[in-house]
Amino acid sequence: MDNAVVTIENISKRYKRKVFDNFSFSFPANRVIGLLGENGIGKTTLLKMIADIAKPDTGIIRVNEVEVSRHTRDLVSFLVQPANLRAFRKVSHVIQFYHDFYPDFDRAKAEAICDTFRIDKRDIISRFSKGTQERVCLMLCLSRKVSLYLLDEPMAGFDPKFKKEMVKAILAHAEEGQTLIISTHLLRDLESLFDEIVILTEKGAVAANADDIRAKGQSLEDFYMEVVE
């Protein structure tokens, strides 16, 4: 695929069972992509392999034509989970840690997202609800200036009202030239975000342009159900 941000070539990965078997695929650049599929199909595993958190048993993954390794971690921002936060610290301290650790971290953007997400930077993270801790994680992820963002179930702990606000916030803070791959089972809440969807199945991946689906008067959720059924 021309202008691909991620290229996957013949990867295999096994845990207790084989998750991927000689799997190849390319993700287009400059798009917001929904990564869909039934539980256990490998969405999280795939994102972790792209981020170099997990390794394929065989095959190659490239980001911006560079084979995935520690050298590509500067190209990718992966959404961490609350359990991986320094929860005993104040939000402001964690922002400072990210600023010191990642040369591409944008402190001004982090503070703006804190305001959007109604996060008090003076508070200690462990005192937040799970949903607010997940907002902190999303703020940290989106505040890096990279070409690829990997968001694994970013809204699982959010109430319906905040999910709508979150969609607006992600669109507002996504910049030209950036790609977001978002895995989710909450398709109805997020489908307005997506330019493309990629559905993982046991037989491979099915990709579709979201606007083409909408032009047919079909929801992305209905299209998804057709594929998986």
Side-chain angles (χ1 to χ4, degrees), residues 14-85:
R14 178 187 289 275
Y15 287 112
K16 293 181 179 179
R17 64 177 183 84
K18 188 163 283 188
V19 183
F20 293 99
D21 184 14
N22 201 35
F23 176 76
S24 297
F25 192 76
S26 294
F27 288 92
N30 309 327
R31 311 290 279 169
V32 180
I33 302 166
L35 181 62
L36 315 174
E38 297 180 313
N39 288 337
I41 201 67
K43 300 186 297 296
T44 296
T45 298
L46 183 59
L47 294 183
K48 285 184 175 180
M49 288 191 292
I50 295 171
D52 196 43
I53 296 171
K55 300 284 189 182
D57 297 330
T58 60
I60 295 173
I61 301 175
R62 294 184 175 88
V63 174
N64 290 350
E65 302 183 351
V66 179
E67 186 172 343
V68 165
S69 69
R70 63 183 181 84
H71 301 295
T72 59
R73 292 178 185 176
D74 291 341
L75 306 174
V76 179
S77 184
F78 184 84
L79 177 65
V80 301
Q81 297 301 311
N84 300 117
L85 286 175

Side-chain angles (χ1 to χ4, degrees), residues 146-191:
V146 295
S147 57
L148 177 62
Y149 298 84
L150 304 175
L151 310 183
D152 186 22
E153 297 289 355
M155 302 191 193
F158 297 156
D159 60 71
K161 180 177 182 294
F162 191 74
K163 286 172 186 172
K164 293 181 181 179
E165 295 178 9
M166 190 64 60
V167 169
K168 293 179 182 178
I170 290 175
L171 289 173
H173 291 287
E175 299 178 9
E176 187 174 349
Q178 296 176 334
T179 301
L180 289 81
I181 303 177
I182 305 173
S183 77
T184 185
H185 66 280
L186 302 173
L187 184 51
R188 184 172 298 177
D189 294 312
L190 297 179
E191 68 172 70

